[in-house]
Each structure stands twice: as C-alpha cells, then as structure tokens.
Amino acid sequence: MKLQSKSTTIFLFWYLIYIYASVLEASNDSDGGFELEKKEEHHVKISDFPTGFFFGAATSAYQVEGAYLEDAKSLSNWDTFCHSIGCGENGENGDIADFHYHLFLKDIEIMHSLGLKAYRFSISWARILPRGKCGEVNPAGIMFYNKIIDNLILKGIEPFVTIHHFDFPQELEDKYESWLNHEMQEDFVHLADICFKYFGDRVKYWTTFNEPNLFTDFAYMWGVYPPARCSKPFGNCRTGNSDVDPLIVMHNIVLAHGKTAKLYYQKYKLEQGGSIGIVVNCLMFVPLTNSKLDVEATQRAFAFYIGRVLDPLIYGDYPQEMHEYLGNQLPNFSIHEKYILKNSIDFIGINHYSSIYTKDCTNSTCSPTANRAIQGFLDIVAMRDGILIGESTGIEDFYVVPKGIEEIVNEIKFRYKNKPMFITENGYSSPDLHEKRVNVILNDTKRVKFHQEYLEFLAKSIRDGADVRGYFVWSLMDNYEWLSGYSVKFGLYYVDRETQTRIPKLSAIWYKNFLLNKTYPINVRAYA
Ligand SMILES: *[C@@H]1O[C@H](CO)[C@@H](O)[C@H](O)[C@H]1NC(C)=O
Ligand SMILES: *[C@@H]1O[C@H](CO)[C@@H](O)[C@H](O)[C@H]1NC(C)=O
Ligand SMILES: *[C@@H]1O[C@H](CO)[C@@H](O)[C@H](O)[C@H]1NC(C)=O
Ligand SMILES: *[C@@H]1O[C@H](CO)[C@@H](O)[C@H](O)[C@H]1NC(C)=O
Ligand SMILES: *[C@@H]1O[C@H](CO)[C@@H](O)[C@H](O)[C@H]1NC(C)=O
C-alpha cells in the first residue's frame, strides 16, 4: 500500500515533467529545433528513409492481451505451460499482461500520438478458434480483432498481422502433439483461411509465423518453451529428441506456410491485394577468427539458422549445408511440395537485435551441445580476445552492435536477390533487470541511442540499394517477455503493473520527434 502511493506520486511527477517538456518544446519549436540540429547533425533523420517507409511498433497476443479466459477463449499452450511451471522469474505469466484486451483503444491512441505509420500484432489462435479446426469460430475473438483493425485504420495506422506468434490452443497439443504432427499443417491453414476471410479486406500485410527458427529450437531442442521437449545434452526433459524433433517441427511449419500462401494466392490475393511473408529471428553471425574454418562455420550458421526457414520458401528446399551435415535425418520435400514452397513469400520479416561470433567445431573441441549435426558443428560466443562483441543487454546473447543491422540486411539482400524486407523487430532491454525506480526506467537514454544508431546503419544499407520497407520497434510497451517475465523491458512505454498506466519513456518522446522529422538530443531538456 505504501509502495503504491509512493509510486503514484512518482508517476504524477513524471507526467508533469513530460507535459512541461512538451509545452516547452511546442512554445519554442523552430528556435529549439535549429539549435539542436546544429549540435546533433550526425543523427539519423526520417528523411534518410524512403517516402512511404513504415515506421511502427510491435507486440504479440500472449505478451500484451491478458484476458486469458474471457469471451470463450480456450487455454493456449502458454497458458497451460505457465500455470504448471510458472514462467517468469517470480512465476509470472500472461494471464493479465498489459490488459490490452480491454485497453486496446487507449493503446491505439498512444500509437497515434507517437505518429506511428504501422502496428504489428498477432492473433491469439485460442481466441479465434478455441478448438482448432474441429470447433466453431468464436465470434467474440473475431470482433476483438475487427475492432483493433478498424480503429488502426481510422487513425491511419497500417495493420501488420502475424498469424502465429508462439501460441496455439492447448487442445492441439493434447490431441496430436501439435507441430510434431503433420495434421497441424491443416489446422494452421484453417486458421489462416479464417483470418483472410474475416480480416483480409483491411489487412494487407500478413506474416504466417513469427521466428519459427527460435520457436523450434527453444521448444524442441532446448525444451524451455512449451511443450518443453528435449533430450540430453541439451536439457533434461521428460520426453523428446533434440537431434530430430526440431527438424520435424520446422518441416511442418514450412509446409504450413507454403499451403497457406497457396491458399492466399489462389483464393484471396486477387480480390484483397495483400501480401504474405514470414518473420525470422536473424542474428548476425561474425566469424570468431578469419580462419577458413570459422568463416565456413559462419556461412553454416546462416544456413542452419536463417536459411532453414527462408531457403525453402524462396528456392524450394533446405540449404545445401543442411543436406551435407544432416544427410538422411533431414526430412524431404516431394516435387509437388517444392513447387508449392518455391516463391511462397512476398517479403521477408527480419527480427534483428544482435550480432554474435561464430566458431567452428569440426576441427576443435566445443561444448557437447555445439558439437552436433543439428547445430551444424558450430558454436556461438560473445567474446573475442576477452572483449565482448558489444555492450550487454537484458537478454543473454543479445549485445549492442549497431553495424550488425546493416550487415544482416546486406547478407539477406544478397542471398535472396533483394526480396522486399521489413525490420519486424528491433529493440533494447536494459541489463539492469532489478531496477525498480520508475524515474530511472523512464530516463532510457540507452534505448534512444540504440535505436538511433541501428537506424543510422539501416539507412546506410537502404542507400546502398537494400529494399527495406519498414522498421518496427520492439516493443510499443513493456510486456510479458516469455521466460523473462516482466523484468526484461523493451517498451517505449512503461506499464505500471498495478494500475496498468502507460507512461512514455524518453525513447517514446524521441521516436515521436524523429517521426516529425526533428532531430532531438538524447537528454531532453526537462530530463537533464
Ligand atoms: C525560446 O528561444 C529563445 C531564443 O532562442 C530563448 O531566449 C528562450 O529562452 C526560449 N524559450 C523557452 C521557453 O525555451
Ligand atoms: C526533414 O528535415 C531535413 C532537415 O533536417 C530536411 O532537409 C528534409 O527535407 C525534411 N524532410 C521531410 C520529409 O520533411
Ligand atoms: C530423403 O530422400 C533420400 C533420397 O531419395 C533418401 O535417401 C532419404 O532416406 C530420405 N530421407 C527421409 C528422411 O525420408
Ligand atoms: C585443425 O586443428 C589443428 C589443431 O588445432 C590444426 O593444427 C589444423 O591446422 C586445423 N586444420 C585446419 C584445416 O585448420
Ligand atoms: C538521465 O540519464 C542521463 C544519462 O544517462 C543523465 O545524464 C541524466 O541526468 C538523467 N536524467 C534524470 C532526470 O535522471
């Protein structure tokens, strides 16, 4: 109780400062702007990006919606998982999250006030089809997403919709082991069909899956995401085979994508005129040394991590390196399947946060988990000669390496012949997970610097010809970060967990001004 009233006072204090800063700014716009421009000349500007470029922010259903059992939604795999083991640091889960299911209008208001041109969100499968393809469509779920889409469009914000962002009805797991079973492909295509049918008149940018590469590895190799399957030495799970299951799961996901794209192209595209893509977790791999072996291991890392998803959807088969190293363990595509898969995406969604060094394991001793075919006999490490690749963040294996975004974009541009790209996620979380002082959390100068520097390098890749069409900050607001619970914070907005109040951080103010084509110093006057 005491804590709560103290924090309320702090919020009020910061709100007032924020309003004061805005008034100051508005009252002295041109003068202030001119002075800042001279000082901050090197900073990236919105005019460094093409016209029509989509600047936005992203969230996902389980991480923000809450309302986990309202209006006939069924339990998802994440609901079940977090209720049984307790997910976050303190056993936190997404039951309430950011209460976005009830506060979405306010959140769209926030997006509008920032001047966002696009918003990326995902559909909760368990809300739309609580029992998968064997049950009825839930009208309340359709109504919820219709309201979001309509209100976004009313505000001139383009909806980018992800159909599958890690969560699906638990019933599909219980009935047939979800993604380990090819039946999941048909279930997914049915979900996508419902989405196109009900939302496709207004949604023009679809992505089928969010980060299937991270999902398969976390859920089926490391066993840390539901259904928590794995085998030694990767982890200690009740069941699973880390050397094989991730390949089967990816095979089903890739085929589900192919069949969905076919459906969209045949049944909807002509009338609705949208496009369809997929979102891949894209670490930038950098050779640890310039030895031939480490350079080859780095190419293999790209093939095993990124090519595993994109090669089939663009060229119709897994990368050569995977065939070489996995042999008969790699599932096969039939001629007909290859035909469906080839050219089944209109754009590539890139989630990029970090770069990492890559080290060969074919000719040196690595950890038991790296030294395996499923990993391409390579290891990733953060240090070279005792120096970290970049500053640490709140997520293990994520370091601040701004140039990495230029490098990954150029690599993807080259390998996939400059297919249109969107940066569907990029963001910063502070390593200080136990920071509770709201004034310190709001003064997120490092997040501002992170986005400025990554955007500078992104602009450079675009000047060099990369067809990148949008950039989404992860995330609009602090939310439920899976296994990290609520302690890892990526948001432009701070969310008070007791009151659900959204408070703009310095980064939100910076983003707003950036989008207004104003350069802005990191230390806003009133914060300094
Ligand atoms: C506005 O700008 C003028 C001239 O640069 C300056 O003298 C004045 O203090 C500024 N006012 C505020 C409110 O910042
Ligand atoms: C943005 O501001 C710069 C000066 O900082 C100017 O050259 C450019 O034309 C502006 N662009 C737009 C789109 O307003
Ligand atoms: C894939 O096809 C090859 C060649 O036809 C065959 O040797 C291999 O066993 C097949 N693999 C699987 C997993 O079916
Ligand atoms: C493999 O490792 C050994 C010992 O570390 C080294 O002498 C040899 O040159 C390496 N082979 C290649 C092809 O780099
Ligand atoms: C915000 O942080 C910056 C450096 O990170 C510091 O210089 C400044 O004093 C801080 N402002 C407040 C109000 O804490």
Side-chain angles (χ1 to χ4, degrees):
M1 199 61 211
K2 199 176 153 205
L3 256 178
Q4 211 179 330
S5 64
K6 190 174 153 202
S7 50
T8 309
T9 317
I10 295 172
F11 298 147
L12 271 175
F13 173 74
W14 281 95
Y15 251 129
L16 286 176
I17 287 198
Y18 171 52
I19 289 162
Y20 181 58
S22 318
V23 169
L24 264 186
E25 226 245 309
S27 71
N28 225 354
D29 219 44
S30 48
D31 281 331
F34 180 66
E35 200 187 18
L36 297 175
E37 250 162 51
K38 275 198 297 192
K39 258 194 299 198
E40 306 290 327
E41 209 161 6
H42 63 285
H43 278 162
V44 67
K45 295 186 183 63
I46 194 169
S47 43
D48 295 332
F49 293 85
T51 44
F53 191 87
F54 285 110
F55 276 104
T59 64
S60 94
Y62 186 68
Q63 295 177 271
V64 299
E65 284 181 7
Y68 80 108
L69 265 186
E70 283 184 49
D71 298 336
K73 175 183 166 295
S74 69
L75 286 177
S76 76
N77 56 333
W78 276 89
D79 291 321
T80 308
F81 180 64
C82 291
H83 289 162
S84 73
I85 67 146
C87 286
E89 252 196 343
N90 310 307
E92 296 154 330
N93 58 44
D95 287 2
I96 297 170
D98 287 341
F99 215 45
H100 176 72
Y101 188 70
H102 294 287
L103 298 179
F104 69 92
L105 278 179
K106 192 180 165 62
D107 292 333
I108 293 173
E109 202 44 66
I110 282 173
M111 297 172 211
H112 182 59
S113 78
L114 288 181
L116 300 191
K117 294 283 177 286
Y119 173 52
R120 175 175 175 245
F121 64 98
S122 80
I123 302 273
S124 159
W125 191 335
R127 223 181 262 297
I128 297 259
L129 287 161
R131 305 202 53 210
K133 71 171 153 47
C134 296
E136 299 295 311
V137 173
N138 175 20
I142 300 289
M143 198 165 75
F144 171 59
Y145 294 109
N146 266 337
K147 282 194 270 187
I148 290 189
I149 293 163
D150 286 344
N151 280 285
L152 287 171
I153 288 171
L154 210 59
K155 301 284 185 187
I157 302 170
E158 188 77 38
F160 278 64
V161 177
T162 305
I163 300 172
H164 183 286
H165 195 124
F166 301 169
D167 60 324
F168 52 81
Q170 175 66 23
E171 182 169 329
L172 308 184
E173 185 64 43
D174 298 338
K175 207 157 71 181
Y176 59 75
E177 297 193 322
S178 71
W179 286 110
L180 275 173
N181 192 321
H182 61 87
E183 203 168 326
M184 192 71 163
Q185 295 175 30
E186 303 315 321
D187 238 310
F188 180 82
V189 174
H190 179 68
L191 167 69
D193 196 4
I194 296 294
C195 289
F196 299 148
K197 178 174 161 193
Y198 285 97
F199 311 131
D201 56 333
R202 288 150 296 151
V203 173
K204 301 302 161 199
Y205 295 91
W206 294 101
T207 56
T208 48
F209 292 90
N210 178 72
E211 299 185 344
N213 50 345
L214 182 139
F215 171 75
T216 53
D217 290 0
F218 277 28
Y220 297 90
M221 186 193 291
W222 301 105
V224 291
Y225 278 13
R229 295 176 66 107
C230 68
S231 57
K232 283 176 182 163
F234 291 92
N236 228 336
C237 300
R238 249 180 305 144
T239 177
N241 184 342
S242 298
D243 291 301
V244 175
D245 291 353
L247 298 172
I248 296 169
V249 168
M250 183 59 83
H251 205 66
N252 283 322
I253 289 180
V254 160
L255 285 168
H257 171 94
K259 291 175 184 178
T260 300
K262 183 176 170 218
L263 172 81
Y264 188 71
Y265 292 145
Q266 288 184 348
K267 190 166 157 193
Y268 294 101
K269 179 142 180 155
L270 193 64
E271 190 190 324
Q272 299 184 345
S275 54
I276 192 162
I278 197 161
V279 172
V280 188
N281 184 284
C282 295
L283 273 168
M284 176 62 208
F285 299 103
V286 180
L288 179 63
T289 72
N290 56 16
S291 76
K292 189 163 170 283
L293 285 170
D294 281 351
V295 171
E296 280 170 7
T298 304
Q299 287 159 358
R300 243 175 12 252
F302 186 99
F304 271 71
Y305 199 58
I306 299 168
R308 171 164 48 134
V309 186
L310 293 179
D311 276 27
L313 306 187
I314 293 172
Y315 298 124
D317 199 0
Y318 294 115
Q320 190 47 44
E321 293 91 336
M322 291 184 75
H323 281 284
E324 248 170 62
Y325 280 77
L326 293 163
N328 285 348
Q329 283 203 324
L330 190 64
N332 288 336
F333 295 118
S334 70
I335 306 270
H336 177 65
E337 287 169 341
K338 284 182 182 176
Y339 177 77
I340 289 173
L341 290 173
K342 202 171 166 179
N343 291 320
S344 65
I345 46 175
D346 299 311
F347 63 87
I348 298 170
I350 298 172
N351 286 0
H352 175 76
Y353 293 85
S354 182
S355 300
I356 200 87
Y357 293 125
T358 312
K359 171 179 180 305
D360 174 74
C361 298
T362 57
N363 192 38
S364 59
T365 4
C366 289
S367 67
T369 51
N371 210 0
R372 300 180 90 82
I374 184 88
Q375 293 279 51
F377 292 105
L378 61 94
D379 204 358
I380 54 172
V381 292
M383 271 201 206
R384 177 195 277 164
D385 302 331
I387 300 168
L388 279 178
I389 191 166
E391 201 180 299
S392 298
T393 70
I395 301 264
E396 204 190 327
D397 287 345
F398 280 11
Y399 301 90
V400 181
V401 188
K403 197 176 166 40
I405 200 166
E406 182 194 0
E407 293 170 335
I408 192 72
V409 161
N410 284 341
E411 207 164 314
I412 290 172
K413 165 188 152 190
F414 178 73
R415 188 175 178 111
Y416 302 111
K417 306 199 168 68
N418 211 6
K419 188 157 279 283
M421 292 170 264
F422 290 90
I423 306 299
T424 35
E425 287 179 27
N426 174 238
Y428 174 81
S429 69
S430 163
D432 206 351
L433 302 186
H434 298 286
E435 181 58 71
K436 296 277 184 289
R437 289 169 299 173
V438 178
N439 59 336
V440 175
I441 294 172
L442 293 181
N443 186 25
D444 60 340
T445 52
K446 285 196 171 173
R447 182 168 293 105
V448 173
K449 190 159 173 278
F450 178 96
H451 285 291
Q452 281 181 325
E453 293 180 354
Y454 273 70
L455 281 171
E456 257 173 65
F457 282 102
L458 181 63
K460 197 153 163 278
S461 70
I462 294 172
R463 274 199 300 279
D464 291 340
D467 188 0
V468 183
R469 301 185 179 185
Y471 177 87
F472 292 80
V473 172
W474 183 270
S475 174
L476 177 67
M477 53 193 166
D478 294 341
N479 60 44
Y480 180 70
E481 281 294 339
W482 310 110
L483 303 178
S484 310
Y486 296 98
S487 46
V488 164
K489 296 179 173 66
F490 279 96
L492 296 169
Y493 278 74
Y494 170 82
V495 178
D496 174 54
R497 301 246 54 83
E498 308 278 324
T499 62
Q500 291 290 345
T501 313
R502 281 84 160 117
I503 305 178
K505 300 180 190 174
L506 183 60
S507 55
I509 299 170
W510 164 77
Y511 201 34
K512 175 179 174 157
N513 279 281
F514 168 79
L515 297 177
L516 288 169
N517 197 23
K518 289 181 199 165
T519 50
Y520 217 80
I522 288 176
N523 294 316
V524 178
R525 186 194 327 227
Y527 281 75

